[in-house]
Structure formats: structure tokens, C-alpha cells
């Protein structure tokens, strides 16, 4: 701390004797023999000569004889960064400035230096001086004649105060700059993603806001937003651990930045630099400014798909994660960054739905779909408990005599807000949200109750009842429990219940699905393979799985005049079913021609609008011997 101590002081007095006294007392010069006043004083006070300067450093004194001169010297010293901590100032210095004027002049540029007025008498009262000099805490009076010890003590304490003040100021400065640095850091943290160092959502939105507000009113495409989400990221995170998840995110962000630098210098010389940002999780965004048209945004997206799809090496683990990219552009006329982000997100979602590892450009209809989906998502949970579900039944007809052999249970949702929602609209969503489990249980139990009722009315003649079971249900541990419970609670013949399951549903987890099918068969119900021929049909399924029937997908009958190829497939499926000894039901029969064709091929049963649309149980005419008169 010693280096902080300022020992410079200035004496401004027109009397050379005073200067000599100051030098003696404060300047570190040993008192001379011819200084009787001092010597006698020392003797008087201490009984021996004062020896303050033996142990303490002397002051560095500057001597001035006139007010103007003193004032300039103080100014120069300040400019030199060697300020005085105190100025001892005489009050009367004719013919130049007097003490008060000197103070006023000094105070014009220096509020710091402590001014000590040394005076025997003054032309001004203390009151006058105080009111005119300003900075009273830096103003003192030392009455002449003064004791040397009084002067030295005063000088020392002023020096100490000065040192304290400066130390405090230094500390404050340090604190201030620490606070500044911390604030800068916090601001930076608030705008960048910790993990990757990329700009974060806040910074991206900020940039988009600026772009939107400066460009509004022009109609051509000016900037595009690419929303990127990575497939299977969660799987990687869960299987390899978060450490690898983080590494993958960093690797992705490096690739993004590198690719954008390249594409920027190659393709868009005059454009502003694109910004890559991380929104959180595995979601990234690219802001492409100054693009001439959508095609150039698509070109960047296409390159990104290629580059980001390449495998990542993470400490010896090779990882693949394909990006799905949604694109939207400012020509839509966005009012806010959030809206633009939302639409890019919607387009990304569409890219994911339609196959992943691709990009999709946003259009208005996607927004409407997304809104609809959101409404469904909101309304669906609890639909079964609220009694909004309805079971319709569609007859399955024997093609030899037109009698009703069975019925397929087809679910409808009558939502108070959305009206009648067809199953294709809400079942995929219910599968995603797992609402399919309570919904599926409701369908199963409702169909079983209906079957029990028909059996009590018609005994043997009651139709079999089929129930569609989704891919989620078939591998869910609760499904068999639900089935067993229904069989315990509801009195029906197990063999009259048929579970319909599609091949695609079986593909996701073939072993688990196969186990469930065997368990179902052991309980009694039968199993039909639904939509046969539409997906990835594999003959090995037919050989391996415990199936009782096939439902030929309606696409084979879809065109009014069945193509030769379809006809060939229908014919061979009939043969196949016969050879495998399983039932065959053709779906989608809409005309008498269809009926005739199926009869000609020897197909035993069918279902379709030609016979009956799906309807409530009371309306389909169960119990009537013949549902429809068939052309012979
Ligand atoms: P799916 O299992 O293939 O059911 C047959 C679909 O074809 C039904 O559509 C039915 O109304 C329709 N259909 C019947 N005859 C004809 C016809 O002659 N021409 C045409 N064009 N269509 C016909 P729906 O009721 O809209 O059901 C659609 C799909 O929803 C079903 O296809 C099934 O996959 C699913 N689904 C229906 N109910 C349930 C359910 O309770 N649980 C599950 N998991 N899925 C269900
Ligand atoms: Ca079905
Ligand atoms: Ca079907």
C-alpha cells in the first residue's frame, strides 16, 4: 500500500521565511542551530529535539510565492498525474491574487486537493471564506504562528486521509470493473448457448425482430428461417448418456458453422452472414439474410441435410442422426419473430412426419393442420371417460348367401367442440400421446358387451365381432391385462371375438408383438391380419404368426374396374388363404361388380359400403338372415 501514499505537498506563500520553516518541519531537514523558536519548542514539549523524520519519510515540498504561480503548478502537477495531496496557502500575497481568489481558481479545476489556509489574520471572515471557497471538507485553517508539531501532525493526517480516500477509490474502481465484467458475462450468457457457444433463442429472436422491423413493407423474399431438429437424438442421449448427447450437439454445431461459412463465401457473397443458433435440446435454427428467392434457402437446406446426415465420431462411437428441416421466409409477412419460428417449426414437424432426413417449405395449410392437431391434442385426453366415444359396426358378409357372419367395430369420436372426428384423424395422435390405451380399452369392452348382448339374443347365430388394435396396444404390457379383465367381466364366447392387427403394427417390435398374439390365442380370441397386401407384406409372417384370417386391403378394389394386376393378387390371395387354412375377407366392396369378381375368384367373405356403411349396432340389422341379396 505504501506506493499509494502521496507525499507531495505545495506551499504558496510570498514570505520566504515561511517556506524555510515548512522545509524544516516537513522537508526532512534536521533543525539548524539558529532556529531558536523551534529548538525551544522541542525542548519544551519533548525535552529533546523532535526526531519524527528519523523514522518517517519526509514530504516532497514544492514552493510557490504567488497565487497564480501556485495555481498553475497544481494544474501542471495534475496533468502530470503527480497531484499534491495538500496545498498550504497564505491569505495575503500582494500584489497578486490573494488566498481566497487563489482558492477559487484552484477549485475551478481541482476539487480534490486539501487547501490549508495559513494566516495570522485575514481580510475575510471564516464565514466569508467558507461561503466562497466551496469544497468545505477539503478546506482547513492553520492559525499563525503554529507549532511545528501541529503542522507536522496536520500534514501527516491529511496525507493519511488522502491515502485512505485513494485506496477506497481504487477499491471502488476494482469493484466497479468486476461488476462490469460480470454484467458483460451475464449479458453474453443470456444471449448465447452455454454448451455450443452459438447464439440462443433470445439472440435469434432479437436479430429476427430487427430484420422484421427494418424490412417490413417490402414484398420480395428477404430472409429465411431454417428450423432443424434431429431424429433419434433422444435415443442417443438415453442409450449413450448425456455426455455423448452433449458431444453430438457440439459436433453438430461445428458442422453447421463450418458449412455456413463455406456456403456464405461460395454462394452469397454480398449477403450478411447467416446465423446459426441453438434453441435448446436438439433444435437448431439458421437465419439466412438477404436471400434472393426461396430456392436459395432450399439449396442451403439441401446441403445441410447431406452434411448433417453423415455419421459423427464421438470417442470411438459412430452415431447417425438425420436432420429434419422446416423452412419459412419473410415474404409471408410476419409480425413477430415468434410467429416465424412457429411456422418453421410446423414445417419441420411436417418434414419429420413425411420421412425425416429432408426439408419442407412452410405453407398456410400446414398451419391449419397444426392448429387442428393442437385442438385435437387438447380435446382428446379423457374422451373415453367423458362418454364421447361411439362404436359403429360394419357387417362382414358371406359371399355365397349374403348372410352377416361378423361385424367390424369402428370407432368414432363425437367431440362437443370439434364434432364427429373420424378415426384416421385422431388415432395416430392418440398413439403418439398414449391416449390410445384407455381409448382402446373402451372399444374392446364396448365391443365385448355388444357381442355378449347379441349372443344372449341369438345364441349360435350371433355374428363374430372384430376389434382393431393399434401398434401401441399390441406391445403394451397393459393390453393383455385389459383383455383378460374384459373376458372375466363380460360373458361372451372368446372365439367370437377377433383381434384385427396390421402388419405394420407388428413390424415395430416383432418379437413382443408375436408373444402377444400367441397369448391372445391362448385366451381364446382369434386374430385377423388387417390391410393385408398394403404394406410390407411378408410371407414369413403368415407362416410364423398364429393367424386365423386375412383382411385384403381395400386398395385392390379401389378402382371401379379392377386392374389385371389387382385381380391377379386377389386371386392368388384367395388361393393362399385356402392353402394356409385361414379365412379371407375382402375390404372395400362398393359395387355389384366387386361382388361378382370376388365370387368368381372364390372369395368367401367381404365387407364394404355396398353392403352397409359402419353404423350403430341397432341399425345394421343383426339377426336378419340375409343382409343383402347377391347376384347369382
Ligand atoms: P380399417 O381397419 O381398414 O377399417 C376399414 C375402414 O374402411 C373404415 O374406415 C371403414 O369405414 C372404411 N370402409 C368400409 N367399407 C368401405 C368401402 O366400401 N369403401 C371405402 N372407401 N371405405 C370403406 P374408418 O371407420 O374411417 O376407419 C379408418 C381406420 O381407423 C380403420 O381402418 C382402422 O385402422 C382405424 N380404426 C377404426 N376404429 C379403430 C379402433 O377402434 N381402434 C384402432 N386402433 N383403430 C381403429
Ligand atoms: Ca380393420
Ligand atoms: Ca383394413
Amino acid at each position: 500500500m505504501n506506493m499509494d501514499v502521496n507525499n507531495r505537498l505545495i506551499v504558496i506563500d510570498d514570505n520566504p521565511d515561511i517556506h524555510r520553516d515548512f522545509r524544516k518541519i516537513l522537508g526532512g531537514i534536521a533543525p539548524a542551530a539558529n532556529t531558536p523558536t523551534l529548538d525551544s519548542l522541542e525542548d519544551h514539549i519533548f525535552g529533546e529535539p523532535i526526531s519524527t523524520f528519523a523514522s518517517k519519510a519526509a514530504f516532497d515540498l514544492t514552493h510557490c510565492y504567488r497565487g497564480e504561480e501556485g495555481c498553475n503548478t497544481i494544474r501542471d502537477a495534475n496533468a502530470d498525474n503527480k497531484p499534491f495531496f495538500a496545498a498550504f496557502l497564505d491569505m495575503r500575497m500582494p500584489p497578486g491574487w490573494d488566498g481566497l481568489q487563489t482558492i477559487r481558481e484552484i477549485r475551478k479545476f481541482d476539487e480534490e486537493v486539501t487547501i490549508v489556509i495559513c494566516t495570522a489574520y485575514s481580510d475575510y471572515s471564516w464565514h466569508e471564506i467558507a461561503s466562497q471557497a466551496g469544497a468545505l471538507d477539503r478546506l482547513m485553517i492553520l492559525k499563525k504562528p503554529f507549532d511545528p508539531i501541529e503542522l507536522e501532525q496536520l500534514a501527516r493526517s491529511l496525507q493519511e486521509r488522502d491515502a485512505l480516500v485513494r485506496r477506497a477509490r481504487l477499491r471502488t474502481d476494482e469493484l466497479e470493473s468486476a461488476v462490469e465484467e460480470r454484467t458483460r458475462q451475464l449479458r453474453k450468457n443470456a444471449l448465447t448457448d452455454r454448451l455450443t457457444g452459438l447464439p440462443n433463442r433470445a439472440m435469434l429472436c432479437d436479430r429476427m425482430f430487427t430484420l422484421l422491423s427494418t424490412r417490413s413493407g417490402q414484398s420480395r423474399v428477404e430472409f429465411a428461417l431454417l428450423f432443424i431438429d434431429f431424429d433419434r437424438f433422444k435415443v442417443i442421449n438415453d442409450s449413450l448418456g448425456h455426455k455423448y448427447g452433449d458431444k453430438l450437439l457440439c459436433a453438430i454445431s461445428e458442422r453447421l458453422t463450418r458449412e455456413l461459412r463455406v456456403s456464405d463465401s461460395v454462394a452469397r457473397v454480398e449477403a450478411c452472414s447467416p446465423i446459426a443458433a441453438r434453441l435448446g435440446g436438439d433444435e437448431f435454427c439458421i437465419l439466412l439474410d438477404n436471400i434472393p428467392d426461396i430456392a436459395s434457402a432450399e439449396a442451403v437446406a439441401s446441403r445441410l441435410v447431406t452434411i448433417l446426415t453423415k455419421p459423427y465420431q464421438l470417442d470411438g462411437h459412430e452415431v447417425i442422426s438425420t436432420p429434419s428441416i422446416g423452412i419459412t421466409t419473410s415474404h409471408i409477412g410476419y409480425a413477430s419473430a415468434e410467429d416465424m419460428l412457429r411456422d418453421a417449426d410446423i414445417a419441420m414437424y411436417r418434414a419429420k412426419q413425411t420421412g425425416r432426413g429432408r426439408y419442407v417449405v412452410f405453407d398456410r395449410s400446414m398451419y391449419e393442420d397444426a392448429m387442428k392437431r393442437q385442438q385435437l391434442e387438447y380435446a382428446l385426453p379423457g374422451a373415453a371417460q367423458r362418454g364421447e366415444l361411439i362404436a359403429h359396426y360394419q357387417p362382414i358378409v358371406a359371399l355365397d348367401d349374403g348372410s352377416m357372419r361378423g361385424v367390424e367395430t369402428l370407432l368414432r369420436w363425437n367431440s362437443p367442440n370439434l364434432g364427429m372426428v373420424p378415426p384416421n384423424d385422431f388415432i395416430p395422435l392418440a398413439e403418439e400421446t398414449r391416449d390410445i390405451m384407455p381409448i382402446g380399452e373402451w372399444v374392446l369392452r364396448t365391443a365385448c358387451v355388444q357381442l355378449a348382448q347379441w349372443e344372449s339374443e341369438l345364441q349360435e347365430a350371433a355374428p363374430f365381432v372384430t376389434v382393431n388394435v393399434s401398434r401401441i396396444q399390441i406391445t403394451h404390457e397393459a393390453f393383455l391385462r385389459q383383455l383378460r379383465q374384459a373376458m372375466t367381466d363380460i360373458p361372451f364366447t372368446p372365439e367370437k371375438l377377433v383381434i384385427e392387427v396390421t402388419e405394420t403394427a407388428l413390424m415395430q417390435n416383432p418379437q413382443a408383438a408375436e408373444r402377444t398374439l400367441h397369448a391372445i390365442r391362448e385366451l381364446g380370441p382369434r386374430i385377423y391380419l388387417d390391410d393385408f397386401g398394403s404394406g410390407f407384406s411378408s410371407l414369413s409372417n403368415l407362416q410364423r404368426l398364429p393367424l386365423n384370417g386375412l383382411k385384403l386391403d381395400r386398395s385392390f378394389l379401389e378402382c371401379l374396374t379392377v386392374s389385371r394386376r389387382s385381380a391377379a393378387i386377389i386371386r392368388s390371395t384367395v388361393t393362399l388363404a385356402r392353402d394356409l387354412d385361414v379365412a379371407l375377407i375382402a375390404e372395400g366392396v362398393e359395387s355389384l361388380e366387386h361382388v361378382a369378381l370376388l365370387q368368381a375368384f372364390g372369395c368367401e367373405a367381404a365387407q364394404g359400403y355396398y353392403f352397409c356403411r359402419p353404423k350403430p349396432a341397432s341399425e345394421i340389422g343383426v339377426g336378419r338372415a340375409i343382409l343383402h341379396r347377391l347376384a347369382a
Side-chain angles (χ1 to χ4, degrees):
M1 264 309 153
N2 236 350
M3 55 199 280
D4 292 331
V5 176
N6 179 2
N7 68 344
R8 289 165 52 73
L9 59 81
I10 182 167
V11 183
I12 308 168
D13 203 310
D14 58 343
N15 183 351
D17 289 346
I18 296 289
H19 285 282
R20 206 177 48 241
D21 287 349
F22 268 89
R23 240 189 326 267
K24 264 191 221 154
I25 302 166
L26 303 177
I29 299 163
N34 59 354
T35 49
T37 38
L38 273 178
D39 291 348
S40 58
L41 183 93
E42 285 158 14
D43 291 344
H44 177 71
I45 299 173
F46 302 106
E48 55 182 338
I50 40 174
S51 57
T52 34
F53 290 107
S55 57
K56 288 189 181 165
F59 292 97
D60 178 359
L61 291 166
T62 298
H63 300 275
C64 292
Y65 296 83
R66 305 168 59 87
E68 296 90 325
E69 182 197 3
C71 187
N72 289 337
T73 308
I74 291 174
R75 186 187 287 117
D76 293 349
N78 286 354
D80 252 11
N81 209 15
K82 287 180 180 164
F84 301 103
F85 72 84
F88 288 84
L89 176 68
D90 188 18
M91 224 27 197
R92 285 187 157 190
M93 295 174 285
W97 294 350
D98 66 3
L100 189 57
Q101 183 163 11
T102 308
I103 294 173
R104 278 202 300 265
E105 294 298 325
I106 292 171
R107 283 294 177 237
K108 282 183 186 166
F109 60 88
D110 189 334
E111 297 259 296
E112 294 284 307
V113 63
T114 301
I115 299 175
V116 185
I117 299 169
C118 312
T119 182
Y121 47 84
S122 171
D123 295 336
Y124 304 98
S125 73
W126 169 242
H127 185 72
E128 267 175 302
I129 296 170
S131 69
Q132 292 195 35
L136 280 188
D137 61 324
R138 303 276 160 141
L139 190 67
M140 312 200 80
I141 297 211
L142 183 63
K143 279 268 168 65
K144 286 180 190 168
F146 45 77
D147 285 353
I149 189 71
E150 208 180 338
L151 175 63
E152 195 200 336
Q153 278 176 345
L154 178 62
R156 287 275 169 228
S157 65
L158 289 181
Q159 186 187 33
E160 231 156 75
R161 182 173 83 161
D162 175 78
L164 280 176
V165 166
R166 255 162 349 109
R167 214 175 302 158
R169 191 172 302 146
L170 193 75
R171 187 81 194 107
T172 313
D173 287 352
E174 276 170 8
L175 282 174
E176 266 172 14
S177 63
V179 167
E180 232 167 68
E181 169 60 21
R182 185 87 189 104
T183 312
R184 207 181 51 76
Q185 199 62 42
L186 283 174
R187 197 169 294 143
K188 188 169 163 247
N189 286 351
L191 294 176
T192 52
D193 171 49
R194 277 251 178 119
L195 180 66
T196 60
L198 292 179
N200 64 8
R201 178 190 284 267
M203 187 156 162
L204 179 77
C205 286
D206 195 58
R207 183 70 194 274
M208 284 165 66
F209 175 78
T210 313
L211 287 176
L212 286 171
S213 49
T214 50
R215 309 292 174 91
S216 61
Q218 299 172 21
S219 58
R220 59 182 193 86
V221 169
E222 298 109 352
F223 67 98
L225 183 70
L226 275 55
F227 196 113
I228 313 175
D229 185 286
F230 287 82
D231 303 326
R232 298 180 55 247
F233 177 75
K234 197 178 152 2
V235 180
I236 292 164
N237 224 3
D238 291 349
S239 59
L240 291 178
H242 286 261
K243 196 178 116 204
Y244 283 92
D246 285 357
K247 280 183 192 229
L248 176 61
L249 291 172
C250 290
I252 286 171
S253 97
E254 269 166 40
R255 272 194 206 176
L256 271 179
T257 333
R258 202 175 328 121
E259 169 57 19
L260 289 180
R261 257 202 309 270
V262 173
S263 68
D264 195 31
S265 56
V266 172
R268 308 179 326 99
V269 185
E270 85 295 23
C272 296
S273 298
I275 294 184
R278 178 171 172 235
L279 300 194
D282 57 344
E283 293 177 345
F284 292 80
C285 268
I286 313 283
L287 189 60
L288 297 170
D289 189 13
N290 252 335
I291 51 160
D293 49 25
I294 295 181
S296 36
E298 288 185 66
V300 175
S302 163
R303 260 201 320 276
L304 286 177
V305 169
T306 312
I307 275 150
L308 297 171
T309 302
K310 291 184 181 148
Y312 297 84
Q313 302 296 336
L314 309 176
D315 291 353
H317 293 271
E318 186 175 279
V319 173
I320 296 178
S321 181
T322 43
S324 297
I325 304 182
I327 306 175
T328 192
T329 53
S330 58
H331 82 282
I332 302 236
Y334 288 106
S336 75
E338 282 73 21
D339 287 358
M340 194 165 182
L341 266 172
R342 177 203 60 209
D343 287 356
D345 188 5
I346 289 174
M348 182 281 293
Y349 186 74
R350 181 60 61 89
K352 243 186 206 307
Q353 275 183 322
T354 52
R356 300 160 182 237
R358 63 177 60 193
Y359 69 84
V360 164
V361 178
F362 174 79
D363 75 50
R364 211 53 225 165
S365 71
M366 288 178 202
Y367 174 72
E368 274 137 32
D369 288 354
M371 290 306 289
K372 203 166 119 192
R373 187 191 141 89
Q374 213 172 38
Q375 286 178 324
L376 288 177
E377 226 169 280
Y378 179 75
L380 188 61
Q385 294 88 321
R386 290 192 301 271
E388 293 167 14
L389 299 181
I390 300 168
H392 278 191
Y393 300 90
Q394 186 180 36
I396 294 168
V397 178
L399 285 174
D400 51 1
D401 62 359
S403 61
M404 189 193 303
R405 294 293 167 82
V407 295
E408 176 174 8
T409 314
L410 291 162
L411 178 62
R412 273 88 186 95
W413 173 24
N414 189 10
S415 156
N417 298 323
L418 306 165
M420 195 63 93
V421 190
N424 283 335
D425 282 10
F426 70 87
I427 286 186
L429 176 67
E431 286 176 338
E432 263 178 61
T433 60
R434 306 288 144 136
D435 285 316
I436 192 68
M437 291 313 293
I439 290 176
E441 184 175 26
W442 183 89
V443 177
L444 180 69
R445 294 184 70 93
T446 305
C448 291
V449 168
Q450 186 58 62
L451 172 58
Q453 193 189 322
W454 279 326
E455 282 199 283
S456 80
E457 289 165 15
L458 306 165
Q459 289 83 41
E460 313 279 84
F464 64 82
V465 174
T466 78
V467 173
N468 291 287
V469 166
S470 113
R471 62 185 175 92
I472 302 294
Q473 289 170 281
I474 205 71
T475 48
H476 198 289
E477 41 86 25
F479 177 71
L480 285 171
R481 200 171 54 232
Q482 292 176 351
L483 179 61
R484 268 189 223 106
Q485 195 61 50
M487 292 176 66
T488 313
D489 297 347
I490 306 158
F492 63 91
T493 312
E495 290 70 26
K496 287 245 167 176
L497 176 66
V498 180
I499 300 298
E500 287 192 26
V501 56
T502 64
E503 276 180 295
T504 354
L506 300 176
M507 273 177 51
Q508 252 180 9
N509 189 347
Q511 281 97 23
E514 194 179 331
R515 276 198 302 276
T516 313
L517 295 192
H518 281 287
I520 293 171
R521 285 298 307 279
E522 266 164 40
L523 289 171
R526 290 180 291 155
I527 297 162
Y528 284 3
L529 195 60
D530 202 359
D531 299 349
F532 182 72
S534 69
F536 307 87
S537 294
S538 140
L539 293 177
S540 75
N541 279 342
L542 299 183
Q543 179 212 358
R544 218 179 59 248
L545 300 174
L547 301 173
N548 303 91
L550 307 176
K551 294 190 77 179
L552 184 64
D553 192 68
R554 70 165 184 269
S555 57
F556 297 104
L557 289 179
E558 212 135 57
C559 334
L560 197 62
T561 49
V562 176
S563 71
R564 280 185 52 197
R565 201 171 261 260
S566 290
I569 292 175
I570 296 170
R571 195 181 317 121
S572 24
T573 310
V574 170
T575 315
L576 183 68
R578 196 170 295 145
D579 292 351
L580 289 171
D581 197 21
V582 297
L584 178 66
I585 298 162
E587 290 190 298
V589 174
E590 293 186 351
S591 65
L592 196 57
E593 285 77 15
H594 286 159
V595 174
L597 187 94
L598 292 168
Q599 282 176 328
F601 291 152
C603 179
E604 62 195 44
Q607 126 188 40
Y609 294 168
Y610 177 71
F611 303 114
C612 186
R613 289 198 173 245
K615 285 178 188 171
S618 58
E619 294 175 27
I620 56 169
V622 170
R624 270 192 277 146
I626 302 292
L627 183 81
H628 209 276
R629 233 153 260 289
L630 299 176

